[in-house]
Amino acid sequence: MKLILAAGMSLAFAMSAGAQELPKTMIWSSYDVGSAGYAEASAIADAFGKEFGTRVRIQPSGSSIGRLQPLLQGRADYAFLATEAFFLSEGAYDFATPEWGPQPLRTIAGRPASTAMAAAADSGIETVADAKGKRIAFVAGNPSINVKCEAILAFGGLTLDDVEVVTFPTYAAAMSSMTRNESDATCTSPTTSQFYELAESPRGIYYPPLEADNAEGWAQLEKVLPIMSPQSETVAAGLPEGETAQMAAYRYPVIATTPDKSADDVYAFIKALDESYDLYKEGTATMERWSLDQAGKPPIDVPFHEGAIRYLKEKGIWTAEDDAWNEKRIARQDALIAAWEPFVAENAGLAEEEFAAAWMARRAEIVAGLE
């Protein structure tokens, strides 16, 4: 009897251990070659190969749809994404079409990345509220950049109607527009190359602070984009060594998968991400932020996968507050998905732009009803 029991326990242990092993091969989608997302995915893939013998093939794409389709169609195991993860879960912007709409995603982890309003130092913008009436640079067809600026303006009690939005055809043109005195402020990573040029120009650079203790400001920001949190940043164009600027953090890259990915598979993935950290943490200047005490905490673009939560709880990282955040985020995603099919049926005859505008209005109503 004891032998049978012992054998059963050994078999159960072996099955559990086997279920938590990494597969021999995996496919990940990511941003295009040359991007930070691709560099970080490559560094982690290399670490997985060295530590666990897992071969990873990365499929790079320059478009959000190109990164998401392999994941949603089952041709990729994981995707290294940016804000398109949030947009897809909400059916927003590029995904506010009858062919897309809100769809469920789950995250494993996401590295904090700073974003800020950068203003020309001679613009008179010392607080976000001071941006009222000023020229704010936006990028045509880039909702990921623009919506972060809209959220930061909300921190200062402003909407797009309170500023002069100047839209530029490319990211580079928008980011360099302050140096050319074609705008007064914009929002993006504080280490973008054009900001170093601005800092050295006669106009100079300044970061209006997003104070962590400004509860009202953060509440207003989160109504626009509930994926950011306070960030104290020490690395930014024009920021003197040893000084800190109060900015916002979002997640890039976000490692995402689908809800039906097995909990054991995701558990094995995040465990490997954690255990190989020392091999990739110096892969880029910011990869040390993949430590799970930073990358494994909300807020983030989409809810955490149950397999990731299991590991984070074992590590003592996941809290009751994190559970509450995750349940609220799942409820929001589910409510939008439930509303989508009847909305499409009722608005099938609308032109593309009208359809998108109608859905974004309906989405805002649903989200407001959840608060």
Side-chain angles (χ1 to χ4, degrees):
M1 183 69 176
K2 289 182 178 178
L3 287 174
I4 294 172
L5 180 60
M9 291 176 65
S10 296
L11 177 60
F13 178 80
M15 291 175 65
S16 175
Q20 293 173 10
E21 290 177 359
L22 284 180
K24 295 301 181 187
T25 61
M26 280 193 284
I27 297 174
W28 303 346
S29 66
S30 83
Y31 264 69
D32 218 343
V33 176
S35 68
Y38 182 85
E40 296 188 21
S42 298
I44 294 170
D46 184 59
F48 277 25
K50 290 176 179 175
E51 187 77 4
F52 309 106
T54 296
R55 296 180 60 188
V56 178
R57 180 159 64 89
I58 299 175
Q59 295 182 341
S61 175
S63 75
S64 57
I65 290 173
R67 292 184 289 277
L68 283 161
Q69 278 185 329
L71 180 69
L72 299 176
Q73 294 172 355
R75 294 184 286 108
D77 301 289
Y78 300 96
F80 282 63
L81 305 172
T83 314
E84 68 263 22
F86 174 75
F87 293 159
L88 176 68
S89 74
E90 305 264 310
Y93 302 106
D94 290 350
F95 305 103
T97 68
E99 297 78 22
W100 282 95
Q103 298 188 41
L105 279 182
R106 294 291 186 269
T107 192
I108 292 89
R111 173 180 65 75
S114 292
T115 190
M117 173 177 283
D122 65 0
S123 66
I125 302 175
E126 295 185 3
T127 69
V128 175
D130 292 335
K132 186 173 183 177
K134 302 293 185 179
R135 300 168 297 172
I136 309 300
F138 272 38
V139 185
N142 194 328
S144 179
I145 292 290
N146 299 341
V147 75
K148 292 183 181 74
C149 223
E150 185 178 351
I152 290 172
L153 287 168
F155 180 93
L158 304 178
T159 70
L160 299 185
D161 292 334
D162 295 314
V163 300
E164 181 186 347
V165 174
V166 184
T167 302
F168 293 87
T170 66
Y171 175 84
M175 296 308 117
S176 60
S177 61
M178 287 180 289
T179 304
R180 300 190 303 270
N181 200 18
E182 295 172 352
S183 71
D184 299 304
T186 192
C187 311
T188 192
S189 163
T191 57
T192 191
S193 61
Q194 291 85 359
F195 285 2
Y196 286 95
E197 295 171 4
L198 174 64
E200 296 298 322
S201 76
R203 300 198 75 191
I205 193 168
Y206 179 73
Y207 302 100
L210 305 177
E211 302 95 337
D213 60 357
N214 185 339
E216 182 181 356
W218 279 102
Q220 292 172 155
L221 180 151
E222 289 168 3
K223 285 182 180 179
V224 177
L225 192 63
I227 66 171
M228 297 200 290
S229 57
Q231 173 86 346
S232 293
E233 184 58 75
T234 58
V235 181
L239 187 67
E241 187 174 351
E243 291 193 12
T244 299
Q246 294 175 292
M247 300 182 178
Y250 69 107
R251 305 306 175 97
Y252 172 70
V254 175
I255 306 177
T257 191
T258 54
D260 58 0
K261 189 76 169 173
S262 105
D264 283 342
D265 285 349
V266 173
Y267 179 96
F269 183 97
I270 193 171
K271 186 172 186 286
L273 188 71
D274 186 30
E275 292 181 348
S276 60
Y277 174 73
D278 285 343
L279 292 178
Y280 65 76
K281 66 181 181 182
E282 296 179 355
T284 71
T286 52
M287 286 198 75
E288 63 180 16
R289 296 179 184 177
W290 277 108
S291 60
L292 291 183
D293 60 335
Q294 297 182 70
K297 300 284 285 182
I300 199 168
D301 300 63
V302 294
F304 279 80
H305 195 284
E306 59 177 317
I309 292 172
R310 188 209 307 171
Y311 184 77
L312 292 166
K313 284 183 175 179
E314 288 180 10
K315 295 287 289 184
I317 294 170
W318 193 262
T319 66
E321 289 78 11
D322 297 333
D323 259 332
W325 180 91
N326 214 57
E327 290 303 317
K328 185 177 180 180
R329 192 67 187 81
I330 290 172
R332 173 172 171 151
Q333 194 174 81
D334 289 348
L336 291 169
I337 291 170
W340 178 252
E341 190 171 332
F343 175 85
V344 172
E346 293 166 7
N347 296 275
L350 292 181
E352 183 176 326
E353 288 188 7
E354 292 176 330
F355 181 94
W359 167 248
M360 293 294 276
R362 177 69 183 124
R363 165 181 167 261
E365 291 174 0
I366 295 167
V367 170
L370 295 171
E371 295 174 355

